[in-house]
C-alpha cells in the first residue's frame, strides 16, 4: 500500500541531492506539478567546500543556503536566511495548484524543530503526497516526527518515481 508521505532512507555519503533532483526532473517530464525544493551543490568555495542552493520546484528560483565562512572555519555553513526564504517558497507553493511536494531532506535543522520541518507538516496537513529524504542516523527523529504512517523508500530513482506516480492516484 502506498502512503501519501514517503522518505528515501539513505546512508551518509550517498549522493541524495542528485537523486532528488533526478526524481524531480523525471516527474516534471511526466507533467506532475511539483512544489517544494531540491538541493544543488557546487564545489566553488575558495577552500574547496561545496556551495549549496535550494531550487524552488514551482518557479525554478535558486535560494543560496550556504555561507562562505572562510578558510579554517569549522561547523555548519548553513545560511538560515536562505533556508527561511526557501521555506517561504515552499509554503507559497502549498497554496497553489500542485500535485506533489518534494522537500530535499529531513536533516539536522528539522530534527531541531527548524529548517523546513513546518513546511513538511503543512504539506501533510494539506493532504498532498510528500516526498523527502532521511539519512539513516536521523530515522528515530523522523519517526518521532512523522509517526508510523509513512512509506520507506530505497535510494533508487525508479522506486521513488513509482511511489510518486502511485501516490498521485490515491483517493482524496
Amino acid at each position: 500500500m502506498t502512503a501519501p508521505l514517503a522518505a528515501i532512507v539513505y546512508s551518509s555519503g550517498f549522493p541524495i541531492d542528485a537523486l532528488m533532483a533526478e526524481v524531480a526532473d523525471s516527474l516534471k517530464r511526466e507533467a506532475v506539478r511539483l512544489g517544494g525544493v531540491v538541493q544543488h551543490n557546487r564545489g566553488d568555495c575558495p577552500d574547496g567546500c561545496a556551495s549549496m542552493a535550494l531550487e524552488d520546484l514551482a518557479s525554478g528560483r535558486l535560494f543560496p543556503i550556504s555561507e562562505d565562512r572562510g578558510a579554517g572555519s569549522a561547523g555548519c555553513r548553513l545560511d538560515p536566511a536562505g533556508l527561511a526564504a526557501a521555506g517561504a517558497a515552499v509554503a507559497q507553493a502549498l497554496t497553489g495548484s500542485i500535485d506533489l511536494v518534494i522537500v530535499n531532506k529531513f536533516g539536522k535543522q528539522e530534527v531541531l524543530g527548524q529548517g523546513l520541518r513546518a513546511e513538511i507538516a503543512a504539506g501533510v496537513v494539506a493532504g498532498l503526497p510528500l516526498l523527502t529524504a532521511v539519512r539513516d542516523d536521523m530515522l528515530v527523529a523522523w519517526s518521532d516526527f512523522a509517526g508510523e504512517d509513512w512509506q520507506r523508500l530505497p535510494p533508487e530513482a525508479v522506486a521513488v518515481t513509482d511511489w510518486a506516480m502511485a501516490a498521485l492516484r490515491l483517493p482524496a
Side-chain angles (χ1 to χ4, degrees):
M1 185 168 146
T2 300
L5 175 61
I8 302 166
V9 179
Y10 67 100
S11 298
S12 181
F14 180 82
I16 193 65
D17 299 321
L19 175 65
M20 295 295 276
E22 177 186 347
V23 167
D25 288 344
S26 176
L27 293 171
K28 284 180 182 179
R29 285 192 300 276
E30 296 294 325
V32 176
R33 297 172 299 174
L34 298 175
V37 291
V38 293
Q39 184 171 319
H40 299 284
N41 304 306
R42 290 190 353 215
D44 60 359
C45 293
D47 61 358
C49 64
S51 64
M52 304 174 292
L54 292 178
E55 175 191 356
D56 175 11
L57 294 171
S59 70
R61 183 174 173 199
L62 290 176
F63 297 93
I65 60 165
S66 58
E67 298 176 311
D68 181 2
R69 296 175 57 195
S73 66
C76 185
R77 300 179 303 107
L78 185 67
D79 177 10
L83 188 57
V90 174
Q92 177 64 33
L94 294 175
T95 67
S97 296
I98 60 172
D99 301 318
L100 184 133
V101 182
I102 297 176
V103 176
N104 66 308
K105 64 184 72 114
F106 182 91
K108 291 177 186 175
Q109 291 298 308
E110 289 74 23
V111 168
L112 296 171
Q114 301 168 11
L116 299 176
R117 184 180 179 117
E119 289 77 9
I120 293 170
V124 171
V125 168
L128 294 164
L130 190 138
L131 172 67
T132 193
V134 179
R135 201 171 62 210
D136 52 14
D137 61 336
M138 309 254 176
L139 269 177
V140 170
W142 167 253
S143 293
D144 289 346
F145 169 73
E148 296 179 16
D149 194 19
W150 62 279
Q151 185 156 345
R152 181 182 181 134
L153 298 174
E156 300 166 0
V158 171
V160 176
T161 304
D162 286 350
W163 168 85
M165 297 309 287
L168 293 173
R169 293 187 289 275
L170 289 175

